[in-house]
Amino acid sequence: MKTFLEYIKKGLLFPALLATVIFANSCEDAVVMGVADESPYTTINDTYLSLKPEGTQRDLIHLTLSRETLYRNLQFHLTRPAAAQGTIRITPDEEAIEEFNRTNFTDYLPFPQSLVTIGSSGNISVAQGATSSGAIPISFQTGTQLVKGEKYLFAVTVDESSLGEYKLSTRASTVYFVIDYLGDFAGTEKDSGIVGILYIDNGTGNPLNAMTYVLEDSGKQFFDIVHIFACGFNYDSENKRVVVGMNKNIAHILEHRDKYIRPLQERGIKVCISLLGSRMGVGPANLPDDIIKDFIGQVKTIIDTYGLDGIDFDDEWVEYSKAPYPLPSSLATSFPGLIMEARRQMPDKLITVYYIGETSQLRGTHDFDGTPVQMGELIDYAYYPYYGSYSTNYSNITGLTPMQWGPAPQELTNLDGDTSPANARRVRSGGYGVNLCYDMTAGLDYTDFFNEFSESMYDEKVVRDGPIYQKEW
């Protein structure tokens, strides 16, 4: 593996010290509620359908497989009510796996078809007048042919001969499953489907603490995703280039990935890097397309070099009025452009959004390589930013579903009189799919705090399965 310093010398990374970031409230955009607008996909008198996993608009799902069989549901979404009852068939597609690897320069092993069961023989029924089909299960089980620590890919595709009067929406005929095989580790998959996301501040936290908390009966990890907070959108005035800023704490974590990152990934926890806008007037909302492509290329270098699982965008604290020439103070295509370029260069990585700042740019429909797309189809998860509050405004990102949204964020640095647990207990009953926690401080035990809401989310208490780590650098 090339070292961090080697990439600096080659000009691929531009580290810069970042100021300590303190979260604060800011004015929020007006609430816009409603369902995802799929009209861009339709033409007159045609009914288009798209194949999706139940509860998300994404066409690629990450799974961690260990001792237990995993189940997901698949269904069709229609752009208009079905004129008549019908049945559409889906089938495994090994050619799609080969094409994915070839197109994206990945090397996933095909998940053995013998370990996959698709319910109803892959036949999905659509009732007359319905705008979505019934759901059928797909299951993945363990087997001796699987190798611990390997990543596998499985694909299911619509059998076009079964479409009848329907037409396929672009980019909506195949669903991919990226499967990490963990061997004997219990993994992260919980029955409620709620994903736990934790921000680790590079100045106060140790990523290893994320794996300390497990569910008492199943042994499954309490957290599914860890964001290392944060790299920055910095500006290189000499070269007029937006560059990835990285302070010494994050550099230390990445350079010692075998100590701080690999142990989490071995247990099924995804580790991502968070990208924070800067007070230099540079952030997700004011970048032209050419700069976006270059910046995401730098991010991809970091992701690939250090074996990370994705990126998180945070448009916070950016003083856009100070944007350096020739950057504009605002550009409506910027934030969606970042999401699209990140998905273009890293189709198999997680993309998440901390819903703050100029996130109104993520509304509506956008042109993604000639195909109309909504941001909820490209983003894996997003979450409300104001600690101690509860928000149902997932539809402010067009196309996002409730299971992709975290309504009740919790700040772990201020627990006295905190109302967050009460809000967190409403995540599952409200039909939402993300629990967000920020800033787990090294050296502190959060078991009692997590147990204020764990049973309401997962029907289990939280226990510690290891030490409480201090910050060691």
Side-chain angles (χ1 to χ4, degrees):
M1 176 184 294
K2 291 185 174 63
T3 68
F4 175 69
L5 289 177
E6 286 177 309
Y7 275 92
I8 295 173
K9 292 174 182 176
K10 292 185 177 181
L12 294 173
L13 300 179
F14 293 80
L17 291 177
L18 300 178
T20 300
V21 179
I22 302 175
F23 278 70
N25 291 352
S26 63
C27 295
E28 187 185 16
D29 294 321
V31 174
V32 178
M33 296 296 291
V35 298
D37 176 17
E38 296 192 83
S39 60
Y41 300 116
T42 65
T43 58
I44 191 166
N45 297 326
D46 287 330
T47 302
Y48 286 76
L49 55 79
S50 56
L51 178 65
K52 300 290 182 182
E54 189 175 40
T56 181
Q57 289 295 321
R58 290 283 293 117
D59 58 6
L60 186 148
I61 301 298
H62 292 266
L63 301 175
T64 57
L65 179 63
S66 53
R67 300 174 296 220
E68 300 177 355
T69 299
L70 293 181
Y71 296 88
R72 288 294 185 270
N73 290 327
L74 295 169
Q75 65 180 162
F76 287 109
H77 298 285
L78 286 70
T79 55
R80 48 191 289 181
Q85 182 174 344
T87 300
I88 302 104
R89 186 168 54 254
I90 61 173
T91 61
D93 192 343
E94 288 196 355
E95 289 185 3
I97 297 172
E98 295 173 1
E99 177 64 20
F100 188 96
N101 280 331
R102 183 167 54 251
T103 302
N104 300 300
F105 304 101
T106 53
D107 55 0
Y108 291 109
L109 297 174
F111 192 85
Q113 288 192 26
S114 61
L115 300 179
V116 180
T117 301
I118 303 177
S120 302
S121 300
N123 294 308
I124 303 179
S125 297
V126 180
Q128 182 177 5
T131 55
S132 62
S133 72
I136 66 169
I138 180 171
S139 65
F140 303 88
Q141 64 186 40
T142 61
T144 56
Q145 57 267 63
L146 299 178
V147 178
K148 179 180 178 180
E150 286 287 358
K151 290 180 179 289
Y152 296 85
L153 187 64
F154 190 79
V156 289
T157 297
V158 177
D159 180 352
E160 296 192 26
S161 69
S162 68
L163 283 175
E165 66 177 19
Y166 300 111
K167 294 187 177 181
L168 282 172
S169 298
T170 307
R171 299 181 64 252
S173 63
T174 303
V175 171
Y176 298 92
F177 296 90
V178 174
I179 303 164
D180 289 344
Y181 181 57
L182 307 179
D184 291 333
F185 284 116
T188 63
E189 304 283 342
K190 276 85 74 176
D191 290 343
S192 68
I194 296 173
V195 173
I197 298 180
L198 173 67
Y199 281 88
I200 293 287
D201 191 295
N202 72 85
T204 60
N206 185 327
L208 294 176
N209 284 315
M211 69 182 186
T212 291
Y213 301 95
V214 301
L215 299 183
E216 185 175 34
D217 299 325
S218 65
K220 294 180 179 180
Q221 297 292 151
F222 186 62
F223 290 106
D224 300 70
I225 300 170
V226 168
H227 292 323
I228 301 173
F229 188 84
C231 289
F233 289 75
N234 285 7
Y235 191 69
D236 175 6
S237 58
E238 181 178 350
N239 295 295
K240 291 184 170 51
R241 189 185 186 203
V242 177
V243 296
V244 178
M246 183 184 298
N247 69 18
K248 61 182 181 181
N249 289 327
I250 290 184
H252 181 90
I253 293 171
L254 296 182
E255 281 295 288
H256 296 84
R257 75 168 311 278
D258 285 346
K259 181 174 183 178
Y260 297 111
I261 296 174
R262 187 186 299 277
L264 277 66
Q265 293 173 326
E266 288 177 342
R267 289 161 175 78
I269 299 173
K270 308 298 184 187
V271 182
C272 306
I273 201 77
S274 188
L275 297 165
L276 179 72
S278 75
R279 294 184 185 273
M280 301 167 69
V282 183
N286 70 332
L287 304 182
D289 289 348
D290 58 333
I291 290 179
I292 286 174
K293 185 174 183 178
D294 175 54
F295 182 79
I296 293 298
Q298 297 173 51
V299 173
K300 185 178 187 300
T301 296
I302 296 173
I303 298 296
D304 291 346
T305 302
Y306 298 107
L308 301 176
D309 298 297
I311 55 176
D312 171 69
F313 290 106
D314 183 351
D315 186 26
E316 193 171 11
W317 295 106
V318 186
E319 299 182 41
Y320 283 112
S321 61
K322 296 182 178 178
Y325 180 81
L327 294 182
S329 59
S330 179
L331 189 60
T333 58
S334 179
F335 212 148
L338 272 173
I339 301 294
M340 289 187 286
E341 187 61 30
R343 187 54 72 206
R344 188 179 292 115
Q345 293 194 32
M346 296 174 283
D348 57 337
K349 300 299 183 181
L350 291 168
I351 298 176
T352 64
V353 173
Y354 190 79
Y355 190 81
I356 198 169
E358 301 300 316
T359 44
S360 62
Q361 293 184 358
L362 302 179
R363 298 172 184 166
T365 301
H366 306 268
D367 182 3
F368 186 34
D369 298 335
T371 300
V373 70
Q374 298 165 350
M375 290 297 102
E377 298 176 71
L378 305 182
I379 294 168
D380 291 281
Y381 304 106
Y383 14 86
Y384 194 62
Y386 301 117
Y387 305 117
S389 301
Y390 186 94
S391 171
T392 62
N393 297 339
Y394 66 91
S395 60
N396 277 352
I397 297 178
T398 306
L400 205 73
T401 70
M403 288 301 291
Q404 294 173 272
W405 176 252
Q410 303 167 80
E411 185 177 20
L412 302 182
T413 54
N414 183 22
L415 303 185
D416 293 337
D418 194 356
T419 60
S420 295
N423 290 327
R425 287 192 289 271
R426 298 165 58 196
V427 171
R428 185 175 181 178
S429 61
Y432 297 99
V434 178
N435 172 47
L436 177 71
C437 295
Y438 173 71
D439 200 4
M440 180 184 283
T441 303
L444 299 183
D445 187 346
Y446 292 92
T447 306
D448 291 343
F449 179 77
F450 293 150
N451 274 320
E452 292 188 45
F453 56 86
S454 177
E455 287 184 286
S456 67
M457 288 187 182
Y458 304 122
D459 302 317
E460 295 186 55
K461 288 184 175 294
V462 172
V463 295
R464 277 177 41 202
D465 186 33
I468 300 297
Y469 295 91
Q470 302 289 335
K471 184 183 174 187
E472 303 167 338
W473 62 90

